Amino acid sequence: MRAARVAELKGPEAIEIVEIPEPAGYEGAVVIDVHAAGVAFPDVLMTRGQYQMDPGLPFVVGGEVAGVVREAPEGSHVAPGDRVVALTMLGNAVAEVAVTPAEMVFKLPDNISLEAGAGILFNDLTVHFCLRTRGRLAPGETVLVHGAAGGIGTSTTRMAVALGAGRVIAVVSTEEKAEVARANGATDVVLTDGWLAAVKELTDGRGVDIVLDPVGGDRFTDSVRSLAPAGRLLVVGFTAGEIPTVKVNRLLFKNVEVTGAAWGEWVLTHPGYLREQWAEVEPLLASGKIAAPLPVVHPLEDAAAAVASLDNRTAKGKVVVAVR
């Protein structure tokens, strides 16, 4: 089978399209003919050996797929021929065949294409975890998201209102990215230059209830300042590269929280949590209350460029690699 593989830790440019043996099935696993695979920022880090978990060299990039079941365990909730989305978690996605445990596989609603489906699980379930489990989103609250034209950002603008938010404010760096945020459902959009003052004006000085921040870097302190009383700042990642620090007296005086939101770690330590998430998210996708992703699709031959677009922050939306 063809696959996008990393044999040297030299960044996204080290990704090569190679022929490798198909993975072998195992007890309790589902074999999937992959049509499309999603990539995310952890894939950038893994190509440099900077991620907290090491897949070992060589490895196939990507952690989520959409495709058609070839084989499934007897009595499983999926069967051969089913359209599915699945998590492979640590690599092994951008390839023509994937094998993953049955509990990581979910039927894809008929109204969502396979290419769009490849953009659902990693980002949408991360955002669901952030807003529901860690952010304790209450009906009508205001959510602000940084990096709103990226994968996590567009998931937030697509999902937040359906999960209870009354308003979703997107922070982006350019007018072009502002259009991406609006197309994905943002109710308000502000540019990074002067964003804090713009948000204060939009909220009549009150601030926002939740900030979802996959960017980090130098805007972190202003994110704390943007919070309303009892607000929550959710730390999702550091695509800006710099890991910020916080002076805890700011939290005390404002009665606000800074909360870590590492979805992958939570899934690994909370058996059954993925099923709980999908039980809420799938009906919302099937009914159209949560719109399908609008992915940026690259052919398999351009897998290196797809991952690089996350590294250089040119990606506008969820990045997907079409495999078939």
Side-chain angles (χ1 to χ4, degrees):
M1 69 174 185
R2 294 185 303 160
R5 190 178 70 174
V6 173
E8 297 180 279
L9 299 177
K10 294 183 178 180
E13 62 272 18
I15 297 172
E16 297 180 320
I17 307 305
V18 297
E19 289 279 349
I20 61 174
E22 289 188 1
Y26 52 85
E27 185 176 355
V30 176
V31 180
I32 301 168
D33 289 322
V34 178
H35 285 246
V39 293
F41 194 72
D43 296 305
V44 174
L45 299 178
M46 281 191 281
T47 65
R48 296 197 173 98
Q50 297 173 342
Y51 196 54
Q52 59 260 39
M53 293 180 282
D54 180 11
L57 289 174
F59 66 89
V60 174
V61 299
E64 57 189 327
V65 301
V68 177
V69 174
R70 181 194 293 181
E71 300 175 20
E74 186 175 352
S76 174
H77 63 289
V78 295
D82 284 347
R83 298 167 72 252
V84 296
V85 290
L87 294 167
T88 61
M89 297 302 283
L90 197 62
N92 301 311
V94 187
E96 290 179 322
V97 179
V99 177
T100 196
E103 61 266 25
M104 298 284 189
V105 182
F106 307 91
K107 288 186 180 180
L108 181 65
D110 292 338
N111 60 318
I112 299 177
S113 71
L114 288 169
E115 287 184 348
I120 287 176
L121 289 181
F122 189 89
N123 289 338
D124 283 9
L125 297 190
T126 293
V127 169
H128 178 271
F129 167 70
C130 288
L131 296 180
R132 276 280 194 259
T133 303
R134 301 299 286 151
R136 309 183 308 278
L137 175 66
E141 287 191 317
T142 296
V143 173
L144 179 145
V145 58
H146 290 292
I152 292 292
T154 52
S155 280
T156 304
T157 55
R158 288 173 39 249
M159 295 183 67
V161 171
L163 296 179
R167 189 178 198 179
V168 185
I169 302 175
V171 182
V172 295
S173 58
T174 67
E175 288 292 348
E176 184 180 7
K177 290 183 177 181
E179 290 305 313
V180 173
R182 292 188 186 99
N184 281 277
T187 57
D188 300 274
V189 181
V190 298
L191 296 179
T192 51
D193 186 16
W195 73 268
L196 178 59
V199 168
K200 289 289 188 180
E201 183 176 351
L202 281 172
T203 60
D204 295 323
R206 178 181 178 274
V208 301
D209 300 292
I210 293 176
V211 173
L212 198 152
D213 182 15
V215 178
D218 58 8
R219 70 183 71 180
F220 189 81
T221 298
D222 279 348
S223 290
V224 176
R225 293 185 177 122
S226 76
L227 291 172
R232 289 84 75 198
L233 169 52
L234 305 177
V235 180
V236 185
F238 313 104
T239 59
E242 178 187 349
I243 298 177
T245 58
V246 61
K247 293 183 178 180
V248 296
N249 63 314
R250 297 183 188 276
L251 312 184
L252 173 65
F253 296 148
K254 293 197 65 178
N255 286 299
V256 297
E257 305 171 32
V258 173
T259 301
W263 168 73
E265 295 293 329
W266 193 272
V267 167
L268 292 174
T269 55
H270 291 73
Y273 182 70
L274 278 176
R275 290 283 166 208
E276 294 174 16
Q277 287 193 286
W278 192 247
E280 180 175 359
V281 172
E282 190 275 338
L284 296 173
L285 289 163
S287 67
K289 290 183 178 178
I290 296 176
L294 302 171
V296 180
V297 181
H298 295 254
L300 178 60
E301 291 73 20
D302 290 342
V307 177
S309 72
L310 301 170
D311 190 26
N312 59 33
R313 300 178 67 181
T314 59
K316 301 178 181 66
K318 175 65 181 181
V319 177
V320 165
V321 176
V323 177
R324 295 178 188 268

